Amino acid sequence: MGTHRDIAARRTLALVGPGAAGKTSLAEALLWKAGAIGAPGSVEKGNTSSDHDPLEKRWLRSLNTSLLHFEHRGVHTHLIDTPGAPDLLGQSLPALEAVETAAIVISAATGIEPMAARMMEWAKQRERDRIIVITKIDTQGADLQGLVAQIQAAFGRECLPVNLPSQRGERVLDCFWNMKADGPPTDFSSVEQAHRALVEQVVEVDAAFVERYLNDGDVAPQELHAPLEQALREGHLVPICFVSARTGAGVTELLDVIERLLPDPSEGNPPAFLEGEGEQAKPLEALPDPALHVLAHVFKVTQDPYVGKMGVLRVHQGTITRDSQLYVGDGRRPFKVGHLFMLQGKELTEVVRAVPGDLCAIAKVEELHFDAVLHDAAEDSHIHLKPLEFPVPVHGLAIEPKRRGDEQRLHDILHKLVSEDPCLRLEHVASTNESVVYGLGELHLRTLLERLTEVHGCQVNTRPPRIAYRETVMAAAEGHHRHKKQTGGAGQFGEVFLRVEPLPRGSGFQFVDEVKGGAIPHNFIPAVEKGVRLAMEQGVVAGYPVVDLKVVVYDGKHHTVDSKEIAFITAARKALAAAVQAARPCVLEPIVDVEITAPEQNMGDITGDLAARRGQVSGTQSGATGALTVLAQAPLSELASYQSRLNSLTGGQGRYTLSFSHYEPVPPTVQAQLASQHKVRDEG
């Protein structure tokens, strides 16, 4: 069995932040300095431990989260390297659920990028401890002092250096345990100044230490462990570390920070487990005790053609061993753990047990799925983690197999790929009989297509991106339909009266049964709801799903012999369509938040172009030297192929990110155009 000593010697850390900030190179440097690998690989050579996927090697960028581990001074650290592209948040955000600490990586060459700010905010919302790692400190002309000032302005004065660069980034000097400047001078500030700022920040969380500090003038760092962990937990301190993966400067110092400063599983904020469903759900505290019953969370699922399905999980409570009997969520039957693996990139090492704080994997268990909670007690079937709020996928691509007859195979593979990524969505559009995959952006969908063809050998045709329009109503109205069909023998009969009402944006769908006196027998009400849902899926005005709708069924008629489910499904479908047509229907379009970073001299052209695309600029932020970031909102439909437009406006110097904001009605001219296209498709 595991011991509490094992728990104290565990650290979990996710490297998060923008692409090209140096996360993968940093992971490689940490593994090498800790002795976990013989030599550091490089992204350019395609031989890093993290980026082992053939696509990652070809594109020279991380596309998946990768699990790594190393030991330093008897402390075992689980490290997650995450992709930095905004399109791949379905990979990087779940990593925050598996760790005590999020390390936000910021490149000294580019400064604070939007993705770093987003990750700081997400980690704060999920109550992770946070540290900031400034990489590439050997970049020529890098203004590290200015970058620290920018970080403090953007994220707060609680962001404080725990070490400082020296000799123009060739060395890094500790400032927490080292109280005196007995080494070379620092490149800015001083060891004493940085040490004093850290101690003052830490003692603030404990009145007794404040008094001692005021009386004695200092407190030994060794005595500050408890208030330090409290300061990290509460976000009262966000340490800043400096490192160069290329030269190795600061890597050993970062290993020391991980071992000596960062929390073990008993010191970080507990995971946000809930027991029960909906509004009745109550917080449940998972204790990192290896002797208690098991609670583990699946934060990543992969479908490998060779290894099969693999669930990657974080153990929060109890001990998992080979031969453990575990339940998946509210599953009635347990499965037996055949093999338990620890991951070093693509390398699988079999382990005997996993205790709280461990990240491990279980292969070839079909019931495993993303976000599942594994447990070994049947009474724990209603425990789940507070759901993550993922960005809404709104970039659509219609996909069909090149070869006729491959439809089912394509469908099965798409389902597997979608099950791995919470930011992918598969939709069958009845009006056009096509499968549409929605993702977070162009890179996201391109990655999916490459996996389809390269990994699974499925050749496909794609059609231009579809916009995820939706339909709703602006007023209340009633609809009625009588379905009557006589074909020789028994006929079909069902009559439905219903009322539709708009709901607030984002509310979804409500179905209310107000039928009195058995006008529609109780056993046919589910058929009525099914007909309503079918009509909503198929759309009424332009063939897009209807949302934010309350449907009240209040009357109807039945026939003792001829009434059947199919009759009420058909009657409800047509009654719903009639009601929506009478309720001032409108088409909604996705509005996205746009962040465009480009040279300052191009800003006039960019804002003018956005205005022409029905965009609204909300502000600008200054970024790295000579660059500005424009914050705006615009309809997604107006931003098709926007990168090529941005390239022509900025001479290839601009880049942008999109994230879903909300839905709002399209202009009347656009609605008329969409409705006429739908009519043509229907008649065709």
Side-chain angles (χ1 to χ4, degrees):
M1 290 295 290
T3 65
H4 289 283
R5 190 172 52 77
D6 291 330
I7 311 305
R10 293 285 188 279
R11 304 286 182 274
T12 56
L13 181 69
L15 302 178
V16 296
K23 297 185 296 295
T24 298
S25 300
L26 174 59
E28 206 68 12
L30 289 167
L31 290 177
W32 177 57
K33 285 281 188 185
I37 55 175
S42 82
V43 173
E44 292 72 28
K45 290 178 183 170
N47 62 349
T48 62
S49 303
S50 296
D51 294 353
H52 50 81
D53 184 293
L55 266 186
E56 293 177 315
K57 292 181 181 186
R58 199 165 79 233
W59 292 358
L60 304 180
R61 69 188 305 166
S62 299
L63 301 172
N64 309 293
T65 49
S66 193
L67 273 71
L68 309 158
H69 60 92
F70 58 81
E71 280 212 14
H72 177 65
R73 292 185 179 162
V75 167
H76 192 94
T77 298
H78 292 278
L79 184 70
I80 307 180
D81 181 23
T82 70
D87 283 19
L88 303 176
L89 284 166
Q91 290 284 328
S92 51
L93 278 182
L96 297 177
E97 300 300 271
V99 297
E100 266 72 54
T101 307
I104 292 86
V105 179
I106 295 175
S107 163
T110 52
I112 302 171
E113 296 183 70
M115 193 65 174
R118 281 193 199 175
M119 279 301 182
M120 278 290 283
E121 186 54 36
W122 273 315
K124 183 180 181 180
Q125 285 174 8
R126 296 307 278 193
E127 297 187 331
R128 302 299 90 182
D129 288 19
R130 290 168 295 160
I131 67 169
I132 292 170
V133 181
I134 297 177
T135 56
K136 306 185 183 181
I137 61 171
D138 54 322
T139 301
Q140 196 167 4
D143 177 10
L144 299 178
Q145 184 172 8
L147 181 52
V148 169
Q150 275 186 10
I151 287 169
Q152 291 177 336
F155 307 130
R157 304 297 298 176
E158 63 269 23
C159 302
L160 293 171
V162 290
N163 52 42
L164 285 169
S166 173
Q167 298 170 347
R168 295 184 182 172
E170 286 183 16
R171 288 186 60 183
V172 168
L173 305 177
D174 160 56
C175 303
F176 186 66
W177 295 280
N178 182 12
M179 293 181 262
K180 295 189 178 74
D182 52 2
T186 57
D187 290 348
F188 67 92
S189 183
S190 69
V191 169
E192 300 103 314
Q193 196 177 327
H195 175 80
R196 192 163 59 249
L198 283 166
V199 173
E200 285 175 2
Q201 191 73 7
V202 169
V203 298
E204 277 180 8
V205 300
D206 189 316
F209 277 106
V210 171
E211 199 170 327
R212 273 185 58 190
Y213 182 73
L214 291 173
N215 290 335
D216 303 345
D218 206 353
V219 180
Q222 293 78 2
E223 297 182 63
L224 289 175
H225 185 81
L228 171 72
E229 294 306 332
Q230 185 183 340
L232 290 170
R233 268 196 309 277
E234 294 175 358
H236 191 68
L237 173 65
V238 179
I240 300 174
C241 307
F242 294 85
V243 71
S244 166
R246 190 181 69 82
T247 67
V251 178
T252 302
E253 289 73 13
L254 182 54
L255 286 170
D256 289 343
V257 166
I258 293 168
E259 178 239 326
R260 299 173 77 178
L261 280 190
L262 297 191
D264 67 39
S266 68
E267 293 169 330
N269 285 315
F273 277 112
L274 298 169
E275 187 169 19
E277 306 301 326
E279 291 177 8
Q280 278 71 49
K282 293 180 181 158
L284 175 105
E285 189 177 356
L287 299 170
D289 184 340
L292 293 176
H293 51 102
V294 170
L295 284 176
H297 175 247
V298 177
F299 65 94
K300 179 180 169 73
V301 171
T302 61
Q303 300 268 6
D304 189 285
Y306 307 106
V307 180
K309 191 174 196 177
M310 187 163 72
V312 185
L313 53 109
R314 157 72 191 251
V315 182
H316 289 286
Q317 180 177 288
T319 301
I320 298 177
T321 61
R322 282 182 298 187
D323 301 332
S324 284
Q325 299 273 338
L326 297 178
Y327 295 89
V328 181
D330 58 2
R332 295 279 173 262
R333 294 177 56 191
F335 70 89
K336 182 178 173 184
V337 177
H339 302 279
L340 198 59
F341 299 106
M342 198 172 284
L343 298 172
Q344 189 75 292
K346 69 176 177 181
E347 305 297 329
L348 302 176
T349 306
E350 195 154 350
V351 292
V352 178
R353 65 187 177 114
V355 298
D358 277 337
L359 276 52
C360 56
I362 297 172
K364 296 180 180 172
V365 177
E366 279 308 306
E367 299 92 326
L368 289 178
H369 59 87
F370 173 76
D371 212 25
V373 169
L374 307 185
H375 55 95
D376 59 0
E379 64 269 20
D380 289 343
S381 62
H382 293 293
I383 294 174
H384 56 97
L385 266 184
K386 180 182 172 185
L388 270 170
E389 289 186 19
F390 288 103
V392 178
V394 286
H395 291 255
L397 198 62
I399 298 180
E400 64 181 18
K402 274 191 176 167
R403 279 192 331 197
R404 289 189 65 178
D406 270 1
E407 286 80 8
Q408 188 58 47
R409 180 166 175 262
L410 172 62
H411 189 261
D412 292 344
I413 295 168
L414 283 173
H415 264 288
K416 283 183 178 179
L417 293 170
V418 167
S419 74
E420 294 180 21
D421 189 333
C423 291
L424 280 173
R425 194 178 80 248
L426 181 61
E427 204 174 87
H428 182 74
V429 182
S431 57
T432 55
N433 193 29
E434 62 186 8
S435 291
V436 179
V437 178
Y438 290 98
L440 297 182
E442 192 183 326
L443 173 69
H444 200 192
L445 293 174
R446 191 154 61 98
T447 307
L448 173 88
L449 292 176
E450 293 274 357
R451 292 211 192 295
L452 267 176
T453 53
E454 288 198 11
V455 180
H456 297 278
C458 187
Q459 301 302 314
V460 295
N461 292 322
T462 61
R463 280 195 290 288
R466 283 176 57 92
I467 302 298
Y469 292 109
R470 295 290 179 256
E471 299 178 15
T472 194
V473 299
M474 306 297 280
E478 296 190 350
H480 155 251
H481 187 80
R482 172 185 286 194
H483 177 71
K484 189 174 181 182
K485 194 173 180 184
Q486 206 70 40
T487 51
Q492 293 179 10
F493 181 85
E495 187 169 6
V496 172
F497 292 82
L498 53 77
R499 183 170 63 252
V500 298
E501 300 168 18
L503 289 174
R505 199 75 70 240
S507 302
F509 168 57
Q510 284 179 23
F511 180 81
V512 181
D513 171 16
E514 288 185 0
V515 175
K516 303 281 193 300
I520 300 175
H522 190 67
N523 58 313
F524 287 125
I525 295 296
V528 174
E529 182 174 353
K530 186 176 180 182
V532 165
R533 286 183 180 273
L534 276 172
M536 288 176 65
E537 282 170 22
Q538 292 169 356
V540 176
V541 181
Y544 296 97
V546 181
V547 296
D548 304 333
L549 191 71
K550 181 178 179 180
V551 178
V552 181
V553 179
Y554 63 89
D555 202 1
K557 286 193 178 130
H558 73 286
H559 188 281
T560 49
V561 176
D562 291 348
S563 282
K564 297 178 179 64
E565 276 195 12
I566 185 66
F568 279 103
I569 289 171
T570 306
R573 197 159 51 82
K574 295 189 174 176
L576 189 281
V580 168
Q581 288 284 15
R584 286 183 27 224
C586 78
V587 176
L588 302 171
E589 65 180 341
I591 305 297
V592 291
D593 291 318
V594 196
E595 292 182 354
I596 305 163
T597 303
E600 197 169 343
Q601 65 264 27
N602 300 125
M603 284 302 148
D605 292 338
I606 288 169
T607 53
D609 184 65
L610 280 171
R613 295 168 184 268
R614 297 192 281 132
Q616 292 187 320
V617 175
S618 57
T620 58
Q621 294 174 350
S622 56
T625 50
L628 280 179
T629 298
V630 175
L631 309 175
Q633 286 193 334
L636 179 66
S637 59
E638 298 283 350
L639 297 173
S641 308
Y642 186 63
Q643 187 62 58
S644 56
R645 177 66 182 145
L646 189 58
N647 287 344
S648 68
L649 289 173
T650 64
Q653 297 288 301
R655 61 187 188 280
Y656 76 102
T657 64
L658 300 181
S659 57
F660 173 78
S661 173
H662 63 283
Y663 274 96
E664 64 181 45
V666 298
T669 51
V670 176
Q671 178 156 326
Q673 186 184 354
L674 292 169
S676 65
Q677 287 170 358
H678 176 57
K679 194 175 175 189
V680 168
R681 281 201 301 266
D682 268 6
E683 290 169 354

